[in-house]
Amino acid sequence: MKLPPPLSFLPPLPSPPRLPRLPGPRLSSALVGATALELAVLAGHLITYPLGLTPERPESPEHPESRAGSAGSERPESPARTDRPENAPARPLALPVTGDPTAPAAAPPVVLLHGFIDNRSVFLVLRRALTRHGHRRTASLNYSPLTRDIRAAAALLGRQVEAVRARTGHDRVDIVGHSLGGLIARYYVQRLGGDRRVRTLVTLGTPHGGTAVAPGAGLHPIVRQMRGGSPVIEELRLPAPGCRTRFVSFWAELDQVMVPVETACVDHPDLDAVNVRVTGIGHLALPVHPAVAAAVREVLETPETGEADVPVTGATSAA
């Protein structure tokens, strides 16, 4: 009698289950490129940073025509004029803004507000783009890195906006804020009545919903206010009926400071807001990238009514 092979009556053992493949530390080419660009921007900004440490100097209140003429010509004793009609708007004397004097009168001045531990030098590229193409009056403001409270910084911004209005004769201004600067401007607009003074607020990489990445939060109170769930962030979630300011927020998909990246979007039912997605760059590149600068200029030239999504060539898209 032929015996069966040993153990042939046992069923075959099942093969061991395949473990799921864990994602490896692969970096996309876009992230590598964005990181390289961030480092290049940082290196360049370290060079230009000293240029923005001092605030802008107001232009001389003396008008060019008062200096013109021959050496023996009479000159007024004071820059004040008495032949101006009583109800006519005052001349923009000590005006700390630059731009094309032939620009349309309807175009409001643009106030630029930097981010945390930064200064007005971060807007060198954007400001040049605005003045070259838009012929707009611009004012770059500095606030102290020792500022400990977003509310206090917003109140200071309000006083500076009033000064710009008085010097230019415009009822409203536009504001462009990078990172913390955008949050300060939003608090001013939404909580301190600044919507009466600000036509358009453009934010670049601003933590509207709070960010989980807050280096130095234990050392600086204003950094803690940028974290999700802080009292300031919760205040900005409160109702804001009738807010008259238009919001345009640029957020970068590769922004390593905004966590999650969508926190840089304005999400509020009472606000007129458009969020523009920027691809291929990170946080530091937002105020210096040419495509973003062109898009910001286009936003500021867009009428308030009937606004459409902002098309940006190449690097960005409306979201």
Side-chain angles (χ1 to χ4, degrees), residues 111-146:
V111 176
L112 306 174
L113 195 61
H114 62 79
F116 180 60
I117 314 184
D118 209 340
N119 60 42
R120 59 188 178 89
S121 65
V122 74
F123 289 116
L124 289 176
V125 174
L126 178 58
R127 183 171 189 167
R128 187 179 302 116
L130 292 176
T131 55
R132 180 185 301 166
H133 299 286
H135 305 290
R136 307 183 65 88
R137 295 180 179 271
T138 59
S140 297
L141 307 180
N142 277 355
Y143 58 90
S144 171
L146 301 179

Side-chain angles (χ1 to χ4, degrees), residues 173-192:
V173 304
D174 292 335
I175 298 180
V176 179
H178 178 230
S179 195
L180 174 60
L183 202 60
I184 292 171
R186 179 178 172 184
Y187 193 93
Y188 164 63
V189 166
Q190 192 174 329
R191 303 295 298 166
L192 302 183

Side-chain angles (χ1 to χ4, degrees), residues 13 20 49 53 61 65 78 100 105 113 125 148-149 153 157 169 176 194 196 198 230 232 272 279:
L13 293 176
Y49 190 89
L53 288 174
E65 59 265 28
S78 168
D100 186 352
L113 195 61
V125 174
R148 300 171 59 86
D149 183 41
L157 172 62
V176 179
R196 296 174 300 165
V198 180
S230 74
V232 168
D272 175 15
T279 61

Side-chain angles (χ1 to χ4, degrees), residues 218-244:
L219 302 176
H220 206 300
I222 207 168
V223 178
R224 291 196 293 270
Q225 292 180 335
M226 289 190 284
R227 302 184 74 169
S230 74
V232 168
I233 297 298
E234 293 304 311
E235 278 189 63
L236 295 177
R237 300 186 191 277
L238 296 176
C243 183
R244 287 162 279 194

Side-chain angles (χ1 to χ4, degrees), residues 18 34 59 63 76 91 98 107 113 143 162 175 217 244 251-252 292:
R18 289 191 175 185
E59 296 177 359
H63 293 287
R91 286 190 176 185
T98 60
L113 195 61
Y143 58 90
E162 291 301 321
I175 298 180
R244 287 162 279 194
W251 62 283
V292 177

Side-chain angles (χ1 to χ4, degrees), residues 144-290:
S144 171
L146 301 179
T147 302
R148 300 171 59 86
D149 183 41
I150 287 178
R151 303 175 187 89
L156 174 61
L157 172 62
R159 294 192 291 272
Q160 293 172 323
V161 167
E162 291 301 321
V164 171
R165 290 179 60 249
R167 290 163 181 165
T168 61
H170 285 271
D171 289 334
R172 306 183 80 186
V173 304
D174 292 335
I175 298 180
V176 179
H178 178 230
S179 195
L180 174 60
L183 202 60
I184 292 171
R186 179 178 172 184
Y187 193 93
Y188 164 63
V189 166
Q190 192 174 329
R191 303 295 298 166
L192 302 183
D195 62 311
R196 296 174 300 165
R197 307 301 192 210
V198 180
R199 184 192 68 155
T200 300
L201 171 57
V202 177
T203 63
L204 309 173
T206 290
H208 292 285
T211 177
V213 177
L219 302 176
H220 206 300
I222 207 168
V223 178
R224 291 196 293 270
Q225 292 180 335
M226 289 190 284
R227 302 184 74 169
S230 74
V232 168
I233 297 298
E234 293 304 311
E235 278 189 63
L236 295 177
R237 300 186 191 277
L238 296 176
C243 183
R244 287 162 279 194
T245 298
R246 175 183 57 172
F247 293 78
V248 180
S249 174
F250 289 81
W251 62 283
E253 288 184 333
L254 301 179
D255 192 331
Q256 302 299 306
V257 179
M258 299 295 107
V259 177
V261 291
E262 293 82 3
T263 194
C265 296
V266 177
D267 183 13
H268 195 293
D270 295 333
L271 301 182
D272 175 15
V274 172
N275 297 302
V276 181
R277 183 177 65 253
V278 183
T279 61
I281 64 174
H283 188 76
L284 298 178
L286 279 168
V288 301
H289 197 282

